[in-house]
RNA sequence: GGAGGGGUUCCCGAGCGGUCAAAGGGAGCAGACUGUAAAUCUGCCGGCCACGCCUUCGGAGGUUCGAAUCCUCCCCCCUCCA
């Protein structure tokens, strides 16, 4: 953070950009004032955002928020990226119906490392500071924690829906979980944050920070929330544990394929939240499709291509398009098929055992079922008998389902 | 501290001495249909070269020809009272 003066666009101009796609903004007036003051002083706003390093991979859902952070950066402001190493030991109860298992120190640090690296695929490294919240939360000690806890009441804590529902539903809530929002709130105090961003599920936590800051002699932070992105299944929010996510480090074909498999309804939503189209642009595209001017599939290809290009570049995106057309639209074989070499033998190999060995099926039982269901092809021929055996020599192309190809060479 | 309810396969949830590898739903996988869409429909959904055997119903013992189901102890959760 340098002391040099910076130039900022007029507050209203900044506001116009920042407000876009935001669900909660508390409050717009306060934000305008902060923007004006920062412009007068030539000092960037400190925009805080916290990440719980529990699941190490960043997915498209996170990028909705990161793109908003990026906008602040592009306007000249400073993002403070808080790695919740301390709070990870508590486990954020947000949106949870169960207590989270705590992580070990090593896991947390390893996750934080991966997280940060992936975050900077979207964020501007130059205008970001990474901090670990154990820096100020650990020294707080039991005494400080108790003082902090004294600033809030149980009744207020239970206003929060996650807690309320668990409480009413007879699902356990551990006392330490009540400390999570307070710890996160204290991050804002320690950093004297001007603004804190989060997903809509963070509204409660963000508000706690806002509320306790004046107790510590600070101006309350402005809070902004962005929508939660629905995962590939189209219903739940995107999350790694639900397996409905598209990771930013997923392979190009992987990203492309996952995007193509989402429903049309979801596609408009993704256009809105993940691209520069915004709500109006997404609506316009939908109308174009509804009028039959463009096939929804093509619009989905555009979206998939754009997202692959964002994380892997244009060349990779073009290849992904080609690959997709080839394998799925024309049902041809992909260019690249993994090959495994197994020792040749005189005895034929029992197919289910081979599928298990090559990882194409989890067990021989599962392999049998796949064969029974008609999902296994050898050199393009559907296998009819689960007792099928094949000579353990030469080369063989195995296909399981629509997507799994493997060349097996015996030699 | 007292009284009561409960822990079942990935998740929810039935079962309450044999007919239980355990209903139903969800998720997942495969097939059909398609735009690899989505929705829908069908099948599968513990393991094992397998019409039989093995391992599962919080944990450890026990009763019984036979237990997820009964008994004992332990662990964990919830509700009400204090």
């Amino acid at each position: 953070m340098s002391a040099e003066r910076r130039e900022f666009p007029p507050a209203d101009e900044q506001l116009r950009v920042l407000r876009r796609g935001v669900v909660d903004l508390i409050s717009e007036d306060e934000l305008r004032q902060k923007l004006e003051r920062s412009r007068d002083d030539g000092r960037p706003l400190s925009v805080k955002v916290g990440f719980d390093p529990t699941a190490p991979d960043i997915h498209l859902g996170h990028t909705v928020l990161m793109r908003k952070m990026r906008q602040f950066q592009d306007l000249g402001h400073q993002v403070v990226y808080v790695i919740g190493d301390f709070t990870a030991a508590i486990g954020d109860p947000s949106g949870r119906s169960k207590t989270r298992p705590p992580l070990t120190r090593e896991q947390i640090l390893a996750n934080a490392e991966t997280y940060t690296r992936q975050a900077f695929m979207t964020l501007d490294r130059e205008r970001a500071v990474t901090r670990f919240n154990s820096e100020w939360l650990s020294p707080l000690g039991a005494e400080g924690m108790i003082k902090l806890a004294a600033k809030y009441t149980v009744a207020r804590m239970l206003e929060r829906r996650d807690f309320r529902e668990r409480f009413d539903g007879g699902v356990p809530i551990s006392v330490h979980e009540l400390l999570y929002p307070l710890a996160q709130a204290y991050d804002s105090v320690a950093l004297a944050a001007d603004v804190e961003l989060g997903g809509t599920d963070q509204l409660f936590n963000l508000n706690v920070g806002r509320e306790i800051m004046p107790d510590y002699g600070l101006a309350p932070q402005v809070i902004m929330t962005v929508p939660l992105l629905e995962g590939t299944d189209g219903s739940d929010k995107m999350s790694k544990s639900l397996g409905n996510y598209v990771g930013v480090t997923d392979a190009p074909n992987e990203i492309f394929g996952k995007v193509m498999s989402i429903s049309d309804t979801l596609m408009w939503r993704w256009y809105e939240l993940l691209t520069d189209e915004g709500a109006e642009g997404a609506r316009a595209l939908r109308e174009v499709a509804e009028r039959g001017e463009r096939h929804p599939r093509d619009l989905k290809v555009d979206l998939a291509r754009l997202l692959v290009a964002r994380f892997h570049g244009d060349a990779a995106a073009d290849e992904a398009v080609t690959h997709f057309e080839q394998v799925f639209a024309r049902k041809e074989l992909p260019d690249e098929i993994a090959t495994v070499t197994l020792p040749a033998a005189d005895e034929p190999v029992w197919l289910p055992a081979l599928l298990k060995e090559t990882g194409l099926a989890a067990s021989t039982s599962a392999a049998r079922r796949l064969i029974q269901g008609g999902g296994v092809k050898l050199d393009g021929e559907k296998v009819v008998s689960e007792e099928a055996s094949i000579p353990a020599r030469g080369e063989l192309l195995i296909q399981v389902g629509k997507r799994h190809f493997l060349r097996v060479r015996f030699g």
Side-chain angles (χ1 to χ4, degrees):
Chain A
M1 275 184 269
S2 65
E4 72 185 281
R5 262 187 84 87
R6 283 195 196 152
E7 295 297 325
F8 296 95
D12 278 321
E13 203 174 295
Q14 294 188 57
L15 207 50
R16 203 176 320 121
V17 176
L18 296 174
R19 200 167 41 197
R20 203 183 300 147
V22 163
V23 179
D24 302 287
L25 171 51
I26 306 170
S27 69
E28 188 167 325
D29 281 345
E30 283 180 33
L31 180 59
R32 182 183 290 106
Q33 284 166 24
K34 282 178 188 271
L35 288 169
E36 274 164 2
R37 197 172 316 130
S38 114
R39 191 161 182 264
D40 293 343
D41 302 346
R43 282 191 30 240
L45 292 183
S46 173
V47 181
K48 174 204 169 199
V49 66
F51 283 98
D52 215 1
T54 39
D57 287 309
I58 285 182
H59 53 61
L60 292 180
H62 298 115
T63 68
V64 177
L65 182 57
M66 294 190 173
R67 282 165 60 79
K68 180 54 70 183
M69 287 153 67
R70 180 63 194 240
Q71 288 176 346
F72 271 98
Q73 292 184 317
D74 289 344
L75 290 168
H77 299 290
Q78 180 83 29
V79 161
V80 184
Y81 185 82
V82 180
I83 305 284
D85 63 332
F86 185 93
T87 33
I90 302 180
D92 184 3
S94 289
R96 287 273 157 167
S97 51
K98 283 182 183 172
T99 307
R100 276 190 179 180
L103 298 179
T104 66
R105 186 80 205 151
E106 292 70 41
Q107 285 175 312
I108 291 170
L109 292 178
N111 289 354
E113 164 67 30
T114 313
Y115 231 75
T116 317
R117 193 175 51 236
Q118 296 184 10
F120 286 120
M121 289 170 80
T122 303
L123 294 180
D124 178 357
R125 207 179 270 276
E126 299 301 308
R127 285 182 171 150
V129 182
T130 305
R131 301 287 293 271
F132 287 82
N133 67 0
S134 59
E135 275 178 57
W136 49 84
L137 287 173
S138 292
L140 212 53
E143 206 180 311
M145 209 44 155
I146 289 169
K147 278 185 184 158
L148 177 60
K151 308 230 177 270
Y152 227 73
T153 65
V154 172
R156 298 225 54 194
M157 249 347 143
L158 287 178
E159 285 172 10
R160 178 191 169 129
R161 201 158 58 122
D162 313 305
F163 286 145
R164 183 87 256 163
E165 282 174 359
R166 280 165 66 181
F167 193 73
D168 291 346
V171 179
I173 301 172
S174 298
V175 172
H176 75 284
E177 292 181 76
L178 301 177
L179 297 178
Y180 190 96
L182 288 167
Q184 181 174 335
Y186 192 76
D187 292 346
S188 296
V189 171
L191 294 165
D194 290 306
V195 181
E196 180 166 11
L197 298 183
T200 49
D201 60 341
Q202 287 293 315
L203 183 60
F204 182 89
N205 291 351
L206 304 182
N207 243 322
V208 176
R210 188 174 151 78
E211 286 175 47
I212 70 165
M213 286 173 83
D215 286 346
Y216 290 87
L218 296 165
Q221 62 183 0
V222 166
I223 62 189
M224 287 175 105
T225 64
V226 295
L228 297 177
L229 185 72
E230 289 83 356
T232 49
D233 55 11
S235 51
D236 289 306
K237 76 166 182 172
M238 186 174 285
S239 91
K240 193 170 185 189
S241 52
L242 292 174
N244 61 358
Y245 72 105
V246 180
V248 298
T249 55
D250 281 355
N253 288 340
E254 199 58 19
I255 296 182
F256 200 93
K258 284 182 184 175
V259 176
M260 289 307 288
S261 76
I262 66 174
S263 72
D264 290 353
T265 318
L266 185 59
M267 160 167 71
W268 311 126
R269 177 74 170 162
W270 282 27
Y271 258 114
E272 178 187 341
L273 299 182
L274 295 172
T275 73
D276 295 331
E277 296 292 341
E280 317 81 61
R283 200 177 314 118
L285 285 172
R286 193 178 66 206
E287 283 162 12
V288 164
E290 279 165 1
R291 284 196 301 268
E293 289 167 29
R294 290 200 66 194
H295 196 292
R297 191 218 319 109
D298 296 333
L299 290 169
K300 207 176 284 173
V301 168
D302 289 350
L303 177 66
R305 197 192 171 290
L306 182 151
L307 291 171
V308 173
R310 181 176 293 168
F311 302 108
H312 292 282
D314 284 323
D318 289 337
E319 275 174 40
V321 176
T322 312
H323 174 269
F324 182 81
E325 299 281 321
Q326 194 173 339
V327 178
F328 298 109
R330 299 203 302 275
K331 298 210 193 299
E332 293 168 6
L333 295 176
D335 287 336
E336 308 247 329
I337 298 178
T339 303
V340 293
T341 305
L342 295 172
D346 292 329
E347 290 294 301
V349 195
W350 183 47
L351 187 57
L354 180 64
L355 293 177
K356 181 188 174 187
E357 203 174 326
T358 52
L360 290 167
S363 63
T364 58
S365 303
R368 283 164 176 266
R369 287 181 224 121
L370 281 168
I371 295 170
Q372 279 171 358
V376 178
K377 286 182 186 170
L378 292 183
D379 289 327
E381 295 279 318
K382 185 179 286 185
V383 180
V384 288
S385 166
E386 65 201 69
E387 294 307 332
S389 286
I390 49 164
R393 50 185 71 257
E395 212 176 273
L396 182 72
L397 176 72
I398 309 180
Q399 183 177 357
V400 175
K402 292 190 181 71
R403 298 189 294 158
H404 304 288
F405 299 87
L406 187 70
R407 213 180 284 289
V408 177
R409 183 178 298 134
F410 293 98

